[in-house]
Amino acid sequence: LLERLPLKRKRWIAPGVWSAAVSTPHAPENRVFVLRIAAGLPAARHQHGGAEFCTVLKGAYRDELGRFAAGDFAAVEGDFNHQPRVEPGEECICLFATEGRLRGQDLIGKLAFRIADV
């Protein structure tokens, strides 16, 4: 599936974590990304600057809203603050779109989101 997406360059955010923007030529202002996090790792705690829509393509993660596995869709409004954690045993790959930038809530998150440009 990932081979068919028009991905821009992968950006390694941290060991076991990368993100790649998806080219959206018909709506270049859209912020669409693929995120891959290795099994058992957390994402950086972050807050949303607008709505976010996420589809899990592979693996599973948990956050304050519950468990999301391959095929699940999650939507959150702006100002939602959370820290997803990938479940052990399998990497998690998500396709997500966000209306605004993500804001890291700690030093690691702030650096990670600056590198990833999300």
Side-chain angles (χ1 to χ4, degrees), residues 47-85:
Q47 187 169 7
H48 295 267
E52 180 185 87
F53 307 97
C54 176
T55 299
V56 181
L57 303 175
K58 180 180 180 184
Y61 73 87
R62 291 182 181 272
D63 70 3
E64 288 78 353
L65 296 176
R67 181 180 187 270
F68 297 90
D72 288 343
F73 178 80
V76 297
E77 295 296 325
D79 295 330
F80 181 68
N81 185 319
H82 69 143
Q83 184 174 24
R85 176 175 286 278

Side-chain angles (χ1 to χ4, degrees), residues 11-72:
R11 293 177 185 252
W12 287 94
I13 301 167
V17 181
W18 62 258
S19 174
V22 177
S23 293
T24 53
H26 301 292
E29 71 281 357
N30 289 346
R31 299 179 48 76
V32 180
F33 299 89
V34 169
L35 175 67
R36 184 259 187 201
I37 301 177
L41 292 181
R45 176 161 289 283
H46 61 279
Q47 187 169 7
H48 295 267
E52 180 185 87
F53 307 97
C54 176
T55 299
V56 181
L57 303 175
K58 180 180 180 184
Y61 73 87
R62 291 182 181 272
D63 70 3
E64 288 78 353
L65 296 176
R67 181 180 187 270
F68 297 90
D72 288 343

